[in-house]
Amino acid sequence: MSDTRFDPSSADGRWQKAWDEAECFRADSGSEKPKSYVLEMFPYPSGRIHIGHVRNYTMGDVLARYKKMRGHEVLHPMGWDAFGMPAENAAMEKGVHPGKWTRENIESMKAQLKRLGFALDWSRELATCEPDYYGHEQALFIDLYEAGLVYRKESEVNWDPVDMTVLANEQVIDGKGWRSGAEVEKRKLNQWFLKITDFAPELLEGLESLDKWPEKVRLMQENWIGKSRGLQFAFDISNGEKLEVYSTRPDTIYGASFVAVAADHPIAQALASEDAEAAAFIEKCKRGGTTAADLETAEKLGYRTQLTAQHPLIEDCELPLFIANFVLMDYGTGAVMGVPGHDQRDFEFAKKYHLRIQRVVGTSTADADRPLGAGAEPGEGVLVNSGPLDGMDVDTAKREVIGRAEKEGWGEGKTVWRLRDWGVSRQRYWGTPIPFVHCEKCGVVPVAKSDLPVTLPDDVDFQTPGNPLVRHPTWKHTQCPKCGGEAVRETDTLDTFVDSSWYFLRFASQPGDRPFDPEEVAKWLPVEQYIGGIEHAILHLLYARFWTRALARLGQIDFTEPFASLFTQGMVTHETYYRREPETGRVVYFAPDEIERNGQGAILKDDGFPISIGRVVKMSKSKRNVVDPDTIIAQYGADAVRWFMLSDSPPERDLPWSESGIEGCARFVQRVWRLVGEHDPQATGEDAELARKTARTVHDVGETIEALHFNKAVAKLYELVGAIEKADASADRTNAIETVFMLVAPMMPHLAEEAWAAIGNTSLVAAAAWPEVDEALLQDESVTIAVQHKGKLRDTLTAPKGASKEVLEEMALASEKVQRSLDGAEIRKVIVVPDRLVNIVT
RNA sequence: GCGGGUGUGGCGGAAUGGUAGACGCCGGGGACUUAAAAUCCCCUGUCCUUUGGACGUGUGGGUUCGAGUCCCACCACCCGCACCA
């Protein structure tokens, strides 16, 4: 048996079946063991599992299996984030119903996941597109509404004037609709919002408790929430009205040289009715989409109105009032004071419209007359050209101006948040119907909970652009739950981020009559380890945090943070292969299976001529650098694929896929398998060094898995396997081989089971206990000491562990190499770090 | 534009401020074999006047006995920016 090769094509399926039959990975909430909830971000069922999913779920799987071996009751579930635009696109392009398309995708993707041998509790599987999920979501949405956390307001969307439909940001390409090619406009619609801003302070403060989240994610969320302290004050406008503005830099108020309002500011709207040019400019501002990146990279444009604003601190100083495309109605008051010297955007605007650019902050008071060079200086410094503020530092000046405004009554200090309320309305079919009706008599009324779920109609057509729910002949017509009269259903559906804001609760318990069972939820939540892509650092994670806090405020759960520990993994990348067409200069990409690598270069199989190897980038259809998990599993087996996902690259960084890399992994799987033939229960005798190495590896692999440093765990296992191969037979070697099988069990579980059985075990290694370590074996007796001179390594010596400084210094000076380097120079100082190094300074 | 991150041999990477390049891949040489595959062994940062030495962690400065690691400035790339999920 042992001289044959390990055959994944038979072993993988056999062990997957054995785990299933033993219900090995079913989470028992009644268990007395400590509980661990390991969760990976659930996938969108796009059709095929992507190699990025494989990486994500392999990491979670290793942790889940490891935790089980360490005696934990593990909840490791899987589900489907099943609503979304691609299903509607498929309906439009292929004429297939979104539900059919989605459910078929789920079936094939589930089969793919099963082939990877993940330790998942499939009994808890859920799909957000099923009424038994989204119906409970509708109930929660009504709960939030009744708690005052849901409201409606006008808000801008991307409007395609040809298709007469709302476009997602993704569907706007270079300012044009992706299908019609028409120039996109901004249009206002009445939409549903969740009051996430009510939670801004606690979402910010809560970040401090998330000490097992990556620092960068907390920082990004902090900046996104964007708490700022500034001054809100009113300008007197030449038409007799007041204009409220907000500024985070009131210290620079003496440098103000203009005032600007958003295109949809009431003042601008009022002007439009009497000033045709102003109206034309406002119309122009409506062009283009709604994304922040577009707005901020667009050319700064303004329209100079006839109005002026009196500077609050400088007598007879009238500032011109502009309507500007870069001022947002959503932030602050929709109006700003422009200080070109110390804000880059204002600087560019001032250059363009020939406005005064005055320095009011410098490195010292001597800077007063130093002109501003190429751009604004937004940093810290000392106030100049600012009357009574001269000489103050920025922070003092801020406090001074706010204090004066409050005393004199023309403004007040105010905390403003960058975070905006969460718009959850989507004018689309394939999403959770918003459970409300519009009644002429009673207004907006929630659907009675006893009438939930409000289900999507199946008979819809996608041949016409726009929301099929609006066109449906009967679906939206209903009775008002309050007065019983005729009423119309809300046709907007919920943002899919709502679906993913509470699925982790539904995994913990799935009662039919309510969203979750609080007692079951209390047993498992918060999620001990959450793993997913860094691209979700802000939106998904912030919305899930908000939703959890909202439910806590409603008393439905008693914790406020859903994910105790978060890990964000890197992408899987692949090199690209291309040729440039000689005539057109266009780049044509080739798929990995169309080419053959030869040393440094590559050739196209079709014609045998070389092709160029491009940069290593994220796998994408357009670059054709995608590898399909099914193909590689069939070729190398699940364990080799899993091992590759864990090897080499640190998990938070990108992992470049390579043919030679996976081949190396497949070779290592066989290398571990060959240890079965070396396993000799009769072997006697000690091998103290190997025993120490084994103990050290058990300790290190456990520690690195817990820290999610899988690449280091992999390297340690390579080292131990190498050491075993070199060692002679002994009882310690036999033990080391058994230990290896247990240590690789979380990573290459199929091989581990096969080997475990082959050496005579009748139970599953997946259910085995992690090996114990004899602490005494972790202590080294001697250490290697580095000896430096002039900052360079000159020699190394072996010394007993814990040797004194004096002894180490003496040993270092006795070295011939060191003496040669010293060459008789006078020793000025010797630095000795015990167990580490000796550094001689001359 | 704004916010966040990353940068070390041919490649992926390792390294509590203390021996830079562990481990893996690629490449070269050898063993076994009729041959191949598989497997095993050795070499493998660059340069030089080669039992030795110099240089070397994106670039330029700085702190330190000592910097991949800390500080400042810059460059390149990646992620996010509220309707992709």
Side-chain angles (χ1 to χ4, degrees), chain A residues 72-125:
Chain A
H72 289 242
E73 186 67 28
V74 176
L75 171 56
H76 186 216
M78 182 54 68
W80 309 95
D81 190 12
F83 275 136
M85 280 203 314
E88 293 194 26
N89 294 336
M92 281 186 266
E93 282 157 21
K94 299 171 195 155
V96 54
H97 189 277
K100 182 173 168 7
W101 183 83
T102 302
R103 291 182 187 103
E104 284 174 4
N105 287 347
I106 288 174
E107 274 321 297
S108 58
M109 290 171 77
K110 184 175 174 180
Q112 286 186 292
L113 291 183
K114 291 219 159 189
R115 283 196 283 278
L116 282 154
F118 292 135
L120 292 163
D121 181 354
W122 284 105
S123 73
R124 295 172 189 251
E125 179 185 6

Side-chain angles (χ1 to χ4, degrees), chain A residues 190-234:
Chain A
N190 211 351
Q191 306 199 72
W192 294 87
F193 281 82
L194 288 174
K195 275 194 195 166
I196 190 171
T197 53
D198 261 24
F199 292 75
E202 58 175 287
L203 285 168
L204 180 65
E205 280 163 30
L207 290 172
E208 284 169 33
S209 71
L210 298 175
D211 56 336
K212 291 178 186 167
W213 279 39
E215 182 63 33
K216 60 178 171 183
V217 175
R218 288 190 288 164
L219 241 181
M220 280 190 260
Q221 293 217 351
E222 184 183 327
N223 291 332
W224 184 262
I225 295 166
K227 182 179 184 174
S228 68
R229 181 79 186 160
L231 174 67
Q232 182 163 327
F233 66 99

Side-chain angles (χ1 to χ4, degrees), chain A residues 19-52:
Chain A
W19 296 323
D20 268 355
E21 282 168 1
E23 296 193 340
C24 212
F25 307 119
R26 199 151 183 160
D28 174 11
S29 68
S31 165
E32 295 295 310
K33 295 177 185 174
K35 297 197 172 50
S36 275
Y37 187 176
V38 177
L39 182 66
E40 300 96 56
M41 293 179 184
F42 67 163
Y44 177 76
S46 57
R48 305 289 297 166
I49 286 290
H50 184 274
I51 196 84

Side-chain angles (χ1 to χ4, degrees), chain A residues 372-391:
Chain A
L372 284 143
E377 292 180 13
E380 297 285 309
V382 173
L383 274 286
V384 296
N385 300 321
S386 295
L389 305 178
D390 283 356

Side-chain angles (χ1 to χ4, degrees), chain A residues 103-178:
Chain A
R103 291 182 187 103
E104 284 174 4
N105 287 347
I106 288 174
E107 274 321 297
S108 58
M109 290 171 77
K110 184 175 174 180
Q112 286 186 292
L113 291 183
K114 291 219 159 189
R115 283 196 283 278
L116 282 154
F118 292 135
L120 292 163
D121 181 354
W122 284 105
S123 73
R124 295 172 189 251
E125 179 185 6
L126 60 81
T128 59
C129 66
E130 303 303 344
D132 67 5
Y133 183 85
Y134 71 70
H136 298 301
E137 183 167 307
Q138 290 169 335
L140 291 174
F141 189 74
I142 291 171
D143 289 342
L144 295 192
Y145 172 81
E146 282 165 355
L149 295 174
V150 175
Y151 69 100
R152 283 159 58 79
K153 73 168 177 186
E154 292 255 300
S155 171
E156 277 180 347
V157 293
N158 304 306
W159 180 256
D160 185 320
V162 170
D163 278 353
M164 304 287 281
T165 180
V166 176
L167 298 177
N169 287 336
E170 188 190 52
Q171 298 170 317
V172 179
I173 295 152
D174 296 331
K176 301 196 170 60
W178 67 337

Side-chain angles (χ1 to χ4, degrees), chain A residues 339-351 357-361 370-379:
Chain A
V339 184
H342 305 283
D343 180 287
Q344 187 57 29
R345 219 166 39 178
D346 295 349
F347 183 89
E348 285 165 30
F349 192 80
K351 279 271 180 202
I357 300 175
Q358 170 74 59
R359 173 188 291 282
V360 287
V361 178
R370 191 161 64 86
L372 284 143
E377 292 180 13

